[in-house]
Amino acid sequence: MTLVPHRIGVLALDGVVGLDLGTPAQVFGAARTADRRPLYTVDTCTPGGRPVRSSAGFRVLPDHGLDLLAAVDTVVVPGLDGGPPTTDGTIDPAVATALRAAHQRGARIMSICTGAFALAAAGLLDGHRATTHWAHANRFHRLYPEVDLDPDVLFIDSGRVLTSAGVAAGIDLCLHVIRSDHGSEVANRSARRCVVPPWRDGGQAQYIERPVPRSPASGTAATREWARQRLHEPVALRELAAHARMSVRTFTRHFRSETGLSPAQWLLQQRTDHARLLLETTDLAVEQVARRAGFGTTAALRQQLHTRIGVSPSAYRRTFRRSPAAGPPRSESGGLRLVAEHP
């Protein structure tokens, strides 16, 4: 079967944030089949195909105008450094029309960071849960009170409209979409090519007191790696603290400051991710997957998968054992819809 790459259109508006602009092409461009065929194509457009200024002291000369949004499968709006959507809640009518038309015909719509202001100005977020960079949350609330804004998460997948927090959270969202479309193995390969962590849960807190451990000796990194090698075993908090040579209270404080999660939340996330990988890449029975991932019983695994992504283990396996050439699952046709709204 011929592989037809999924088409992505990046909409650059005046004041576009440079890093956000390059993120979709970099991350989606790294997503390939095992024989290195590209799974996505990424093009950039602006209103009228005109150059727009970026926040980084350069101008963007696009290859397309807004007509691109009528032809792509996914639209991505990068962050904005100023402009009407972020200052007075308005947007160029032509841009709003193009975004709404893309949404109405079934395209997936994504925003990175303050790109959510543009989606909100176009009316695409009214009545929906969304996120943006925490530093702009108060202004967003004032301009768009109809939107259920949650500034405490990395990204939110509401089906066909997805929003993310600032900077690196855009990478997390793109990897989440690749994982939703093609499974963990493809997403992990993409992350490795981009030299970034393969997975941060969408419900993880945006603000982490100490994102980088102070040193391997004083942080919890070594203990986290030790725990990853023992996901199939019960691992108690006191064992983690003992391995790190800290008291339980001190360990918990350091762990949360470094990961944004409690040890229990982090372990659950690691076990779920491992179970997903086993379901995708092995023929192990679901009972065996549950044991190897540390859930113990099929019922516990089923409950956790249903909570995090809304499907049973068998449904997850059927979806992600499919060939990449078959294309991503379509939520609008009754297929799998991954939800990243729960921590």
Side-chain angles (χ1 to χ4, degrees), residues 59-312:
R59 288 185 177 269
V60 179
L61 182 62
D63 290 334
H64 302 275
L66 292 176
D67 56 321
L68 175 69
L69 303 189
V72 297
D73 305 300
T74 294
V75 176
V76 183
V77 182
L80 304 172
D81 183 17
T86 68
T87 57
D88 58 25
T90 64
I91 193 170
D92 180 343
V95 172
T97 298
L99 286 172
R100 287 195 290 262
H103 180 260
Q104 288 167 2
R105 68 175 175 79
R108 178 168 52 197
I109 311 294
M110 299 168 53
S111 68
I112 299 175
C113 193
T114 48
F117 282 78
L119 299 191
L124 297 184
L125 300 181
D126 288 356
H128 295 287
R129 186 164 173 255
T131 193
T132 190
H133 194 295
W134 61 267
H136 302 278
N138 290 338
R139 179 151 39 96
F140 192 100
H141 275 302
R142 290 196 303 271
L143 291 174
Y144 306 108
E146 307 87 356
V147 181
D148 179 13
L149 184 71
D150 184 348
D152 296 324
V153 297
L154 294 179
F155 60 82
I156 292 175
D157 179 347
S158 295
R160 281 182 28 233
V161 180
L162 305 88
T163 54
S164 71
V167 196
I171 299 174
D172 296 318
L173 179 59
C174 291
L175 288 172
H176 165 74
V177 167
I178 294 171
R179 182 174 290 102
S180 301
D181 288 350
H182 297 289
S184 295
E185 191 170 15
V186 173
N188 291 349
R189 285 202 304 267
S190 303
R192 284 195 297 272
R193 288 181 61 86
C194 296
V195 198
V196 295
W199 174 256
R200 290 196 299 170
D201 192 278
Q204 180 171 319
Q206 284 191 33
Y207 180 74
I208 301 174
E209 181 182 348
R210 192 177 295 110
V212 180
R214 293 166 297 171
S215 73
S218 60
T220 65
T223 297
R224 280 181 272 135
E225 184 56 35
W226 177 82
R228 284 193 191 96
Q229 304 305 317
R230 292 161 176 78
L231 293 177
H232 60 287
E233 303 173 1
V235 179
L237 176 58
R238 63 179 180 276
E239 293 177 89
L240 295 171
H243 182 272
R245 298 186 178 183
M246 299 178 188
S247 69
V248 168
R249 182 176 179 180
T250 299
F251 175 79
T252 301
R253 184 176 69 252
H254 284 312
F255 196 98
R256 185 178 288 277
S257 73
E258 292 171 13
T259 69
L261 299 170
S262 71
Q265 289 172 322
W266 181 86
L267 270 173
L268 193 57
Q269 176 181 301
Q270 297 299 312
R271 286 185 166 126
T272 303
D273 294 345
H274 187 51
R276 290 166 67 170
L277 187 62
L278 291 174
L279 289 169
E280 294 172 27
T281 60
T282 74
D283 293 318
L284 292 171
V286 174
E287 295 88 342
Q288 293 175 292
V289 170
R291 287 196 298 272
R292 291 196 182 191
F295 287 103
T297 67
T298 302
L301 172 59
R302 183 181 296 112
Q303 180 181 6
Q304 183 59 25
L305 278 183
H306 191 272
T307 298
R308 284 185 176 264
I309 56 177
V311 296
S312 67

Side-chain angles (χ1 to χ4, degrees), residues 8-11 16-31 40-44 74-79 110-112 167 170-171 173-175 178 194:
I8 295 176
V10 179
L11 172 59
V16 65
V17 175
L19 178 61
D20 296 352
L21 176 65
T23 292
Q26 184 67 43
V27 180
F28 287 113
Y40 300 89
T41 62
V42 182
D43 294 291
T44 302
T74 294
V75 176
V76 183
V77 182
M110 299 168 53
S111 68
I112 299 175
V167 196
I171 299 174
L173 179 59
C174 291
L175 288 172
I178 294 171
C194 296

